[in-house]
Amino acid sequence: MTGPEDGIADLFVIGGGINGCGIARDAAGRGLSVVLAERGDLAQATSSASTKLFHGGLRYLEFFEFRLVRESLEERETLLVAMPHISWPMRFVLPWHPGMRFDSDTPTSRLLARLMPWMKGRRPAWLIRLGLFLYDRLGGRRILPATRTLDLADDPAGRPLKPEFRKAWEYSDCWVEDSRLVVLNARDAEARGARIMTATRVVGAERAGDHWQVTVEGPEGRQTHRARALVNAAGPWVAEVIGSVARINSPERVRLVRGSHIVTRRLYEHDRCYFFQGGDGRIIFAIPYEGTFTLIGTTDQDHHGDPAEARCTEAERDYLLAFASRYFARPVTAEDVVWSYSGVRPLYDDGASSATQATRDYVLSLDGDGAPLLNVFGGKITTYRRLAESALARLAPFFPAATGDWTARVPLPGGDFPHDGVAALVDRLLRDYPFLAPGHARRLIRAYGTEAFALLGAAGAMADLGRDFGATLTEAEVRWLMTREYARHAEDVVWRRTKLGLKMSAEEIAALEAWMATAG
Ligand SMILES: Cc1cc2nc3c(=O)[nH]c(=O)nc-3n(C[C@H](O)[C@H](O)[C@H](O)COP(=O)(O)OP(=O)(O)OC[C@H]3O[C@@H](n4cnc5c(N)ncnc54)[C@H](O)[C@@H]3O)c2cc1C
């Protein structure tokens, strides 16, 4: 491999979100030399602000986005097997009653209005069942169970809901810890020879003969790197990188669509999620979260201004509260909210009239006017691996020695155990480290998988894990995150590598920050 200091790297990737890290990992595994620069922390932008689902996107069926839905559905099980620690199957309950009205303008609703004008504004039961029938079959399920019908008068899933909801369907999708997914891709890229630079902003890029000259500003000051190809995976900043960093005139536009979530105290006891349909034609999820919370989202708002400044507004919070309260028997109020987060979808601007209708599919555009520049627009967490394969396919003509697709079969770090093996792994960890509380052991396996054993090392008692920062976060874990997972600040640890920020006090987080500042 040629390092950037002693020569010209093959790929320089701008952006340490899921798309940049996924592409870096895939490329490194094909034998390419890769350098990646992330201006802050890995996954600090959109890739830690998602709903955290590996999902086909049931609602995209209404937009006839069959290619995207099929690819996403197929991916769910491939990803589940490759990362059984940070992803798991979930069941989604979709309640329905005949009086529901929808103000939606989708290809399906228009077709329905033409064929059956008396149905205008309704989403009949048979249409939902047909959608779920397709959802079950389009993507070749082997692990995930099929859709079933629920009688909500009987099923525990009906208990937290208003009594008017008598009927529901229950279908499968998967959960994923989005920011851990990004970090594990970066780690695996590095293990295969890539150089991952965080806190490093790309400030300039220009073509110099057959390669790119990329200027970065990072902990070591201003530096120049050379690379044969440039990948722009800057997410919401993709257009800014094209225009202001590479200074290229491009007709392609990104549409920034903000999505916010609220986290409430736990609203119900069972472990299933809800898929709620709104009168405005939108949908939201309510998902059991981090043991004692419920996650509700998302909104869909065109975003203007700096994507880094995206916040859940009061209006968005109230929209989500009102939406959920149309379903839950006990109204969900602002007092229930303990946290909120917001992210910006970097969608390809296809000229759609509303934010909800803009395509969620990804678009890769190759500028081959000299050394290649590949721009990444849109995409989903779910399709990141396929997007990376497509990106490498587009770049293949420039790298004839690169090897073929490989990521579908190779687990991410810590994911080398059976997809249904979490309980057995937790038991093993508790046998080897009997001083751990069961909840602590489970959290470690869900975060680090088989690597939890290496993280705990030779510890024979809690005291051997060093300082206790609160909520089961120990010095041993923080050191692991700093040395192996690029964590530099408390925020990286408590909001991205873990979600312990929900359980730690402000004082505990400040103490962690102070400790990390001197531990480095
Ligand atoms: C509310 C919401 C819910 C979602 N839910 C889901 C879901 O449930 N399932 C799903 O599959 N998908 C979901 N998505 C979509 C998914 O989150 C995104 O498609 C994906 O995270 C985009 O990743 P990215 O790598 O392109 O962008 P980002 O994660 O934003 O990464 C881009 C990175 O580039 C860096 N950067 C920018 N400029 C520079 C520069 N000059 N130098 C260095 N670094 C730079 C940024 O700091 C950033 O970290 C959701 C999105 C949103 C907003």
Short mmCIF file of all heavy atoms in Angstrom, two decimals, residues 9 15 19 72 132 155 190 199 204 213 224 259 308 365 407 414 418 429 432 435 481-482 502 519:
data_model
loop_
_atom_site.label_atom_id
_atom_site.label_comp_id
_atom_site.label_asym_id
_atom_site.label_seq_id
_atom_site.Cartn_x
_atom_site.Cartn_y
_atom_site.Cartn_z
N ALA A 9 -2.12 8.30 -2.59
CA ALA A 9 -3.11 7.29 -2.18
C ALA A 9 -4.06 7.03 -3.34
O ALA A 9 -4.15 7.84 -4.28
CB ALA A 9 -3.88 7.79 -0.97
N GLY A 15 -15.50 12.93 4.61
CA GLY A 15 -16.71 12.66 5.39
C GLY A 15 -16.66 11.33 6.11
O GLY A 15 -16.50 10.29 5.48
N ASN A 19 -21.70 6.74 4.91
CA ASN A 19 -21.32 6.52 3.51
C ASN A 19 -19.81 6.61 3.31
O ASN A 19 -19.21 5.77 2.64
CB ASN A 19 -22.10 7.46 2.58
CG ASN A 19 -23.56 7.04 2.51
OD1 ASN A 19 -23.87 5.85 2.60
ND2 ASN A 19 -24.45 8.01 2.39
N SER A 72 -33.27 -2.55 -0.02
CA SER A 72 -33.22 -2.35 1.44
C SER A 72 -33.69 -3.61 2.17
O SER A 72 -33.10 -4.02 3.16
CB SER A 72 -34.10 -1.18 1.86
OG SER A 72 -33.78 -0.04 1.12
N LEU A 132 -48.06 -4.95 2.79
CA LEU A 132 -47.28 -5.83 3.68
C LEU A 132 -46.99 -7.18 3.02
O LEU A 132 -45.95 -7.79 3.26
CB LEU A 132 -48.04 -6.02 5.00
CG LEU A 132 -48.00 -4.77 5.89
CD1 LEU A 132 -49.04 -4.86 7.00
CD2 LEU A 132 -46.59 -4.57 6.48
N ASP A 155 -54.62 -8.51 22.21
CA ASP A 155 -53.15 -8.54 22.21
C ASP A 155 -52.61 -7.43 23.13
O ASP A 155 -53.14 -6.31 23.14
CB ASP A 155 -52.65 -8.30 20.78
CG ASP A 155 -51.17 -8.60 20.65
OD1 ASP A 155 -50.35 -7.75 21.10
OD2 ASP A 155 -50.82 -9.66 20.10
N GLU A 190 -9.58 0.76 8.86
CA GLU A 190 -8.22 0.98 9.36
C GLU A 190 -7.47 -0.35 9.49
O GLU A 190 -6.30 -0.45 9.12
CB GLU A 190 -8.28 1.69 10.72
CG GLU A 190 -6.93 2.18 11.17
CD GLU A 190 -7.02 3.00 12.46
OE1 GLU A 190 -6.97 2.42 13.54
OE2 GLU A 190 -7.17 4.23 12.36
N ALA A 199 -11.36 15.04 13.37
CA ALA A 199 -11.03 16.44 13.67
C ALA A 199 -10.20 17.06 12.55
O ALA A 199 -9.34 17.91 12.80
CB ALA A 199 -10.30 16.54 15.01
N GLY A 204 -9.65 22.39 0.90
CA GLY A 204 -9.41 22.64 -0.53
C GLY A 204 -9.10 21.34 -1.25
O GLY A 204 -8.57 20.40 -0.65
N GLN A 213 -5.02 17.04 -5.29
CA GLN A 213 -4.25 17.58 -4.18
C GLN A 213 -5.27 18.10 -3.16
O GLN A 213 -6.05 19.01 -3.47
CB GLN A 213 -3.39 18.73 -4.70
CG GLN A 213 -2.12 18.86 -3.94
CD GLN A 213 -1.01 19.34 -4.86
OE1 GLN A 213 -0.60 18.62 -5.77
NE2 GLN A 213 -0.58 20.57 -4.64
N THR A 224 -1.16 18.69 3.12
CA THR A 224 -1.65 18.36 1.78
C THR A 224 -1.51 16.86 1.55
O THR A 224 -0.48 16.27 1.88
CB THR A 224 -0.86 19.13 0.71
OG1 THR A 224 -0.99 20.52 1.01
CG2 THR A 224 -1.41 18.88 -0.67
N GLY A 259 -35.07 16.07 10.00
CA GLY A 259 -35.93 15.10 10.70
C GLY A 259 -35.57 15.13 12.17
O GLY A 259 -34.41 15.02 12.53
N ALA A 308 -25.38 21.75 10.57
CA ALA A 308 -24.86 21.43 11.91
C ALA A 308 -25.73 22.06 13.00
O ALA A 308 -25.66 21.67 14.16
CB ALA A 308 -23.42 21.93 12.05
N SER A 365 -22.74 10.52 -8.53
CA SER A 365 -22.39 11.19 -9.78
C SER A 365 -20.87 11.26 -9.91
O SER A 365 -20.18 11.66 -8.97
CB SER A 365 -23.03 12.58 -9.84
OG SER A 365 -22.28 13.50 -9.12
N THR A 407 -17.95 -7.38 1.00
CA THR A 407 -18.45 -7.00 2.33
C THR A 407 -19.71 -7.76 2.77
O THR A 407 -20.02 -7.77 3.97
CB THR A 407 -18.75 -5.48 2.39
OG1 THR A 407 -19.60 -5.16 1.28
CG2 THR A 407 -17.48 -4.66 2.31
N GLY A 414 -16.24 -7.49 16.21
CA GLY A 414 -17.10 -7.92 17.32
C GLY A 414 -18.34 -8.68 16.88
O GLY A 414 -19.08 -9.22 17.70
N PRO A 418 -23.09 -16.03 15.91
CA PRO A 418 -24.37 -16.24 15.20
C PRO A 418 -25.36 -15.10 15.42
O PRO A 418 -25.37 -14.49 16.49
CB PRO A 418 -24.90 -17.55 15.78
CG PRO A 418 -23.73 -18.21 16.42
CD PRO A 418 -22.77 -17.13 16.83
N LEU A 429 -20.06 -14.03 28.95
CA LEU A 429 -19.38 -12.88 29.57
C LEU A 429 -19.60 -12.90 31.08
O LEU A 429 -18.68 -12.63 31.86
CB LEU A 429 -19.90 -11.58 28.95
CG LEU A 429 -19.03 -10.35 29.20
CD1 LEU A 429 -17.74 -10.41 28.38
CD2 LEU A 429 -19.76 -9.05 28.84
N ASP A 432 -17.39 -15.54 32.63
CA ASP A 432 -15.98 -15.14 32.71
C ASP A 432 -15.76 -13.95 33.64
O ASP A 432 -14.67 -13.80 34.20
CB ASP A 432 -15.46 -14.76 31.30
CG ASP A 432 -15.32 -15.98 30.41
OD1 ASP A 432 -15.73 -17.08 30.85
OD2 ASP A 432 -14.83 -15.84 29.27
N PHE A 435 -18.47 -10.66 38.26
CA PHE A 435 -18.73 -9.42 39.04
C PHE A 435 -19.60 -8.43 38.27
O PHE A 435 -20.07 -7.44 38.83
CB PHE A 435 -17.40 -8.77 39.44
CG PHE A 435 -16.52 -8.42 38.27
CD1 PHE A 435 -16.67 -7.20 37.61
CD2 PHE A 435 -15.56 -9.31 37.80
CE1 PHE A 435 -15.88 -6.87 36.53
CE2 PHE A 435 -14.76 -8.98 36.71
CZ PHE A 435 -14.92 -7.76 36.07
N LEU A 481 -12.45 3.13 24.05
CA LEU A 481 -13.07 4.03 23.07
C LEU A 481 -12.09 5.08 22.56
O LEU A 481 -12.14 5.49 21.41
CB LEU A 481 -14.30 4.70 23.70
CG LEU A 481 -15.45 3.75 24.04
CD1 LEU A 481 -16.57 4.46 24.76
CD2 LEU A 481 -15.99 3.10 22.76
N MET A 482 -11.17 5.50 23.45
CA MET A 482 -10.20 6.52 23.02
C MET A 482 -9.10 5.92 22.15
O MET A 482 -8.64 6.55 21.19
CB MET A 482 -9.58 7.21 24.25
CG MET A 482 -10.60 8.07 25.00
SD MET A 482 -9.91 8.83 26.47
CE MET A 482 -8.92 10.15 25.76
N LEU A 502 -28.12 9.54 28.33
CA LEU A 502 -29.50 9.53 28.82
C LEU A 502 -29.56 9.20 30.30
O LEU A 502 -30.56 9.49 30.96
CB LEU A 502 -30.31 8.47 28.05
CG LEU A 502 -30.76 8.84 26.64
CD1 LEU A 502 -31.26 7.62 25.90
CD2 LEU A 502 -31.84 9.92 26.69
N ALA A 519 -6.29 12.39 29.98
CA ALA A 519 -5.92 10.98 29.76
C ALA A 519 -5.23 10.77 28.42
O ALA A 519 -4.45 9.83 28.26
CB ALA A 519 -7.14 10.09 29.83
#
